[in-house]
């Protein structure tokens, strides 16, 4: 919405939320304190906020005044009931649709922006149709699907120069109304028009295909380690094939974020719902291998450190699911850190943007002092937030790189090694560190996919 406001100054954009604290954060004079960290977002918000970009808790008033309403609420995986663990929880979509139905005036175009299972628009349309038949009258609605394909960390650039904008619907006038907005800065040939169901399914499919590539290269990384091959050389060789391309062939600790796992599991659920068991099993394996890769990395650390990490201090560099974001949803670091804590390790965790309170929620464990001898009960793992890689490495047996922050590409390994207990290890799950420099400093180095 910030980019739309920035590129279309003639359009008034109001972002509403029931969370007053969150809205207050979006209105904070200090743009460095926006609730979402994304490179370039502060500048975009700074240009548009107060001009034609507004943040408010007055939801009904904003709906009543709007010609177009974007439903952008969370759709997490269900934790209970039918489809638990796979199906999307659509309660907030329904609540939002009902609120739009009640508060809208005149004709309103309702745009699905959240990632949704195919055919969700049927439920939205049914709720809105009931309002059209309301005794008060005067309300009409059109429903469009406009899924987002941005990537966290590069979201602003992805929005300002998108590969494509996808708009699905049945009402040509409504489709063209949304096309006219994106058309202010997106070339016409990059705006794709489809039916509603194709648009909804395209988002799930795109994320499933991307995640599949990550799991595929990680499976080959394990084989490379066993055979003496190097997954980066293999990736370069196959990425040179024009039929495959080089994107998403970087081996690592697996995919994370708010979309990939959730969307694949949703796809699995839908396939089973329609009786496509073989298809469901195929996509389910992509998630299974991703989980296996994260457990494998934790096991590699334990095995390398003489079969036990109980009481040992491990420096963990990075907790966000990827660089240039503060998002930890489904971060590979969560499962790896949990496994190591379960083994009794003492983790010193540093991340450039993730709040320690968020780490505590993800690990389901409060931080505790781990540096002082005897401060943690024998055999029990724990963790502590620290401010720098050097602070994390103090007295550590190993350093783990779990997020590809740029700063970790140029660490002073001589200085870090001098702080560690010997023998010392570097486990580079992102293959970004200067491995030669780390080895020269006296560390034993493991890099994902390197035999």
């Amino acid at each position: 919405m910030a980019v739309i406001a920035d590129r279309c100054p003639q359009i008034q954009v109001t972002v509403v939320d029931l969370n007053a604290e969150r809205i207050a954060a979006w209105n904070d004079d200090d743009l460095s304190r926006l609730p979402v960290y994304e490179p370039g977002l502060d500048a975009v918000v700074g240009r548009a906020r107060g001009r034609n970009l507004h943040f408010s808790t007055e939801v009904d008033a904003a709906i009543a005044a709007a010609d177009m309403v974007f439903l952008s609420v969370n759709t997490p995986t269900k934790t209970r009931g039918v489809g638990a663990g796979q199906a999307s929880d659509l309660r907030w979509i329904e609540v939002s649709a009902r609120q739009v139905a009640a508060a809208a005036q005149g004709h309103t175009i309702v745009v699905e922006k959240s990632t949704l299972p195919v055919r969700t628009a049927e439920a939205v349309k049914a709720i809105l149709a009931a309002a059209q038949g309301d005794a008060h009258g005067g309300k009409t609605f059109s429903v469009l699907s406009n899924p987002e394909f941005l990537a966290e960390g590069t979201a602003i650039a992805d929005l300002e120069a998108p590969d494509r904008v996808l708009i699905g619907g049945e009402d040509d006038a409504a489709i063209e109304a949304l096309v006219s907005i994106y058309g202010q800065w997106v070339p016409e040939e990059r705006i794709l028009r489809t039916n509603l169901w194709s648009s909804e399914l395209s988002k799930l499919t795109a994320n499933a295909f991307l995640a599949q590539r990550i799991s595929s290269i990680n499976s080959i990384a394990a084989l490379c380690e066993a055979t003496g091959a190097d997954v980066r050389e293999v990736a370069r060789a196959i990425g040179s094939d024009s039929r495959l391309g080089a994107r998403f062939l970087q081996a690592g600790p697996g995919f994370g974020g708010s979309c990939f796992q959730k969307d694949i599991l949703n796809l699995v659920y839908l396939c089973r719902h329609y009786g496509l068991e073989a298809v469901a099993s195929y996509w389910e394996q992509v998630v299974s291998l991703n989980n296996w890769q994260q457990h494998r990395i934790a096991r590699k650390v334990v095995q390398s450190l003489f079969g036990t990490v109980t009481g040992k201090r491990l420096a963990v560099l990075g907790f966000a699911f990827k660089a240039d974001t503060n998002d930890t949803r489904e971060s590979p670091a969560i499962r790896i850190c949990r496994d190591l804590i379960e083994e009794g390790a003492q983790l010193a965790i540093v991340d450039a943007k993730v709040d320690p309170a968020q780490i505590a929620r993800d690990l389901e464990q409060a931080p505790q002092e781990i540096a002082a001898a005897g401060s943690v009960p024998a055999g029990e793992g724990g963790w502590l937030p620290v401010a720098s890689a050097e602070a994390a490495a103090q007295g550590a047996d190993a350093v783990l790189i779990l997020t590809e922050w740029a700063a970790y590409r140029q660490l002073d390994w001589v200085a870090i090694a001098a702080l560690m207990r010997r023998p010392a290890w570097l486990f580079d799950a992102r293959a970004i560190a200067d491995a030669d420099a780390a080895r020269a400093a006296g560390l034993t180095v493991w890099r994902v996919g390197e035999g």
Side-chain angles (χ1 to χ4, degrees), residues 85-422:
Q86 293 184 337
S88 289
D89 188 339
L90 299 179
R91 76 179 88 170
W92 290 283
I93 280 289
E94 179 176 344
V95 167
S96 297
R98 290 184 182 279
Q99 191 163 10
V100 171
Q105 296 182 11
H107 183 67
T108 305
I109 299 172
V110 178
V111 184
E112 295 178 337
K113 202 65 177 166
S114 305
T115 301
L116 300 169
V118 62
R119 309 296 297 194
T120 299
E122 281 187 326
V124 174
K125 288 166 65 177
I127 291 169
L128 299 175
Q132 287 183 174
D134 193 287
H136 298 293
K139 298 180 182 181
T140 56
F141 300 94
S142 296
V143 176
L144 301 177
S145 170
N146 176 219
E148 198 50 73
F149 296 100
L150 58 83
E152 291 187 53
T154 59
I156 300 301
D158 293 342
L159 289 165
E160 291 179 336
D163 292 332
R164 76 293 202 198
V165 171
L166 181 60
I167 302 173
E170 299 166 341
D171 181 340
D172 289 341
I175 291 173
E176 295 311 311
L178 186 51
V179 167
S180 71
I181 294 175
Y182 286 110
Q184 297 295 305
W185 79 94
V186 179
E188 169 67 24
E189 64 271 16
R190 294 191 180 184
I191 302 177
L192 310 181
R193 300 162 176 84
T194 70
N195 69 38
L196 269 172
W197 323 124
S198 296
S199 178
E200 289 180 330
L201 187 55
S202 293
K203 172 64 173 178
L204 296 183
T205 303
N207 283 343
F209 272 57
L210 293 175
Q212 177 196 52
R213 282 176 70 95
I214 295 172
S215 284
S216 294
I217 197 64
N218 282 337
S219 72
I220 299 303
L223 184 59
C224 286
E225 292 171 27
T227 60
D230 188 327
V231 73
R232 279 154 293 283
E233 295 176 349
V234 173
R236 185 168 70 250
I238 65 174
S240 300
D241 189 326
S242 60
R243 297 169 299 176
L244 297 173
R247 300 290 299 275
F248 281 77
L249 290 178
Q250 179 64 48
F255 54 77
S258 63
C259 290
F260 280 5
Q261 178 165 306
K262 174 175 72 72
D263 289 354
I264 296 174
L265 291 175
N266 194 353
L267 191 62
V268 169
Y269 177 75
L270 286 169
C271 290
R272 289 210 166 101
H273 173 77
Y274 288 105
L276 304 172
E277 179 59 38
V279 181
S281 297
Y282 173 82
W283 287 110
E284 197 168 33
Q285 185 60 29
V286 173
V287 175
S288 296
L289 198 139
N290 192 63
N291 296 339
W292 172 83
Q293 173 76 343
Q294 291 158 21
H295 289 305
R296 183 178 81 89
I297 290 172
R299 288 196 300 270
K300 181 67 179 180
V301 173
V302 174
Q303 291 166 0
S304 299
L305 297 181
F306 313 112
T308 179
V309 292
T310 300
K312 293 177 180 176
R313 180 180 174 112
L314 308 179
V316 175
L317 307 189
F319 199 81
F321 88 92
K322 64 184 292 189
D324 293 321
T325 180
N326 60 350
D327 194 348
T328 65
R329 287 175 291 181
E330 300 297 337
S331 174
I334 297 173
R335 184 171 284 113
I336 294 170
C337 288
R338 283 181 174 175
D339 282 359
L340 293 172
I341 289 173
E342 179 68 21
E343 290 283 344
Q346 312 300 306
L347 307 183
I349 302 176
V350 57
D351 190 282
K353 293 295 179 181
V354 178
D355 192 304
Q358 183 60 52
I359 298 177
R361 287 190 289 270
D362 289 330
L363 296 182
E364 299 180 347
Q365 181 177 344
Q368 53 190 314
E369 182 55 53
I370 63 173
S375 60
V376 177
E380 292 187 15
W383 72 279
L384 181 74
V386 294
S388 67
E390 290 75 15
Q394 185 70 51
D397 290 85
V399 172
L400 285 69
I401 298 179
L402 300 185
T403 307
E404 69 278 25
W405 287 104
Y408 302 153
R409 297 179 184 274
Q410 46 196 7
L411 293 169
D412 184 344
W413 288 108
V414 172
I416 288 175
L419 299 170
M420 299 175 69
R421 190 170 74 156
R422 298 305 180 95

Side-chain angles (χ1 to χ4, degrees), residues 27-38:
N27 283 319
D28 197 307
D29 290 337
D30 184 352
L31 291 171
S32 68
R33 297 170 59 184
L34 295 179
V36 172
Y37 173 72
E38 184 69 39

